[in-house]
Amino acid sequence: MRSSLVLVSLTAVIWVTQALRDIDIMTSQGQTILVFIGITALIIPLLVLVIAPIALLIAAAHVLNKLSNDSEIIVMNAAGMSPWILFRAFLAAAVVVSLLVGAISAYFAPKGLRMLRDKLTEVRANVVSTIVQPGRFRAIENGVTIHIRERRPNGQLAGIFLDDRRNPNERITVLSEIGELLDNSSGTYLGASEGDRAATRGDAARPRDGSLRSLRVRSFAIRGRGTGREILDPRALFVAAVISRSERSILSRAARPVPRRTA
Amino acid sequence: MIALMAPLYPIAFVVIAYAYLGAPRTTRQSRAVSMLGAIAGVAFLRLIGFVSTVFGVNAPGCYRCNIWQRPSQLALGFTSFAAA
């Protein structure tokens, strides 16, 4: 009983110090406090693994100290009781804690840490949707600038402007009314519809005569680099290629609706 | 193996605490030294555990230290009981 009191209070204190290291998932990733608590609580089994024996020690030392103070131990000794008999009570408590620690170290702590890693990766990778802020021109990587007017509650982006100058031979500018970030097995896409995609051939700074090709499209997708969840650097998720209407097969794969993850 | 040795910590800690604080004493005898001894003993044991885990990553021989420390501590504790 005493041991569990000590265990709970010590674990709470140390959990706070550990949880604050991941406070960025609330501040910069825009997650709710429930997600934050849910994710950081996964470290608790590991803390209990280290703290439970110490809590037991504190409880045992307290009880022994109290027994000594009340002259119980010396009376038991004077009555001829073997010290082993008193020790058996402590051993029983130790065995209970030992079973708990055994279960945690063999199963719960590794499982908790694995889940923690997975969830943190998911939340951090999801930063794609938070890097793009309404009303701000953001240079995502060299030569790519994006701007959106607003983010709708259903996850759609409205009023998208995208300028892609990474290819020296072709500058691509996209203006579209509605877009959505799509996540599937072949990568992360910015799908957009109701807009224009304008490609300028040649040196972007000095377009040749008649090189501007404007294409009015119903929808198109902009593909991210790499694939899905292996990506840890959120910036790597972003625009690598603009896929035009001629590549509709890729688009249709990209446009498959996907369940939104922790958002 | 390391994970399987973890359950021995609570037992070793209780043995240490009992070895230091379980001996009969009158209320006039101070228990401060025993208390400090128990805490130091436990801290030392736990420290060896942490250190051997950390260094074991590069030098696997250190894990042997982690595996043997608790059984040897238990043996030591029980011997000290028997002596008392």
Side-chain angles (χ1 to χ4, degrees):
Chain A
M1 183 62 206
R2 230 171 259 286
S3 173
S4 46
L5 274 181
V6 178
L7 179 62
V8 169
S9 46
L10 280 183
T11 307
V13 169
I14 295 175
W15 172 71
V16 167
T17 65
Q18 297 296 307
L20 288 179
R21 292 194 309 185
D22 292 322
I23 193 93
D24 68 295
I25 64 179
M26 261 199 315
T27 52
S28 60
Q29 322 269 322
Q31 299 289 339
T32 63
I33 192 161
L34 284 179
V35 173
F36 171 73
I37 290 174
I39 288 178
T40 54
L42 290 172
I43 206 175
I44 285 180
L46 190 72
L47 298 182
V48 170
L49 178 64
V50 176
I51 295 167
I54 294 172
L56 178 71
L57 169 84
I58 293 174
H62 178 81
V63 169
L64 280 170
N65 196 39
K66 189 143 175 58
L67 284 177
S68 271
N69 265 343
D70 297 347
S71 300
E72 304 271 17
I73 291 181
I74 202 161
V75 167
M76 285 185 242
N77 189 257
M81 192 174 112
S82 160
W84 291 101
I85 296 173
L86 181 59
F87 179 67
R88 231 179 282 154
F90 286 95
L91 194 63
V95 167
V96 171
V97 176
S98 165
L99 289 178
L100 174 79
V101 168
I104 289 175
S105 82
Y107 183 73
F108 293 106
K111 188 178 179 165
L113 286 185
R114 209 157 40 229
M115 284 167 70
L116 177 75
R117 187 61 48 214
D118 284 354
K119 293 249 159 134
L120 274 184
T121 310
E122 258 179 41
V123 169
R124 299 237 159 95
N126 213 4
V127 77
V128 169
S129 54
T130 51
I131 264 187
V132 184
Q133 288 171 359
R136 282 195 193 169
F137 286 89
R138 299 296 289 249
I140 293 159
E141 55 183 85
N142 252 349
V144 180
T145 310
I146 189 167
H147 175 274
I148 62 167
R149 189 177 64 237
E150 62 172 314
R151 180 180 286 125
R152 300 217 169 119
N154 58 4
Q156 279 188 332
L157 311 173
I160 298 171
F161 165 83
L162 184 128
D163 186 40
D164 181 358
R165 270 185 295 183
R166 283 165 308 163
N167 183 351
N169 298 319
E170 192 179 41
R171 175 180 181 172
I172 296 162
T173 308
V174 168
L175 281 168
S176 95
E177 190 50 39
I178 292 173
E180 197 162 2
L181 284 165
L182 304 161
D183 233 347
N184 70 8
S185 54
S186 53
T188 298
Y189 294 77
L190 173 64
S193 52
E194 297 172 37
D196 291 292
R197 170 190 186 275
T200 315
R201 279 283 162 82
D203 190 346
R206 286 171 290 154
R208 294 180 205 145
D209 289 342
S211 62
L212 179 69
R213 291 185 310 142
S214 184
L215 178 66
R216 184 153 200 102
V217 289
R218 227 171 255 270
S219 64
F220 43 78
I222 300 149
R223 203 168 82 106
R225 219 193 271 146
T227 53
R229 292 177 51 179
E230 296 143 35
I231 297 156
L232 295 180
D233 178 9
R235 278 159 187 266
L237 282 167
F238 250 98
V239 194
V242 176
I243 296 155
S244 69
R245 221 155 61 141
S246 60
E247 293 169 32
R248 286 300 286 273
S249 60
I250 300 173
L251 173 63
S252 59
R253 258 186 285 138
R256 191 155 38 105
V258 277
R260 289 194 69 77
R261 292 192 304 226
T262 339
Chain B
M1 193 63 192
I2 302 281
L4 296 181
M5 297 307 278
L8 283 183
Y9 271 121
I11 298 176
F13 284 6
V14 160
V15 168
I16 292 175
Y18 195 72
Y20 275 100
L21 296 165
R25 286 208 184 84
T26 67
T27 44
R28 294 180 189 188
Q29 288 171 303
S30 164
R31 280 178 302 274
V33 176
S34 308
M35 190 67 94
L36 281 180
I39 292 171
V42 164
F44 183 64
L45 187 65
R46 192 63 254 206
L47 192 71
I48 293 177
F50 282 136
V51 167
S52 62
T53 311
V54 168
F55 285 98
V57 174
N58 294 320
C62 290
Y63 284 133
R64 222 169 293 154
C65 184
N66 194 322
I67 288 164
W68 285 108
Q69 54 154 336
R70 273 147 281 167
S72 53
Q73 179 69 51
L74 282 178
L76 207 70
F78 284 122
T79 333
S80 75
F81 282 12

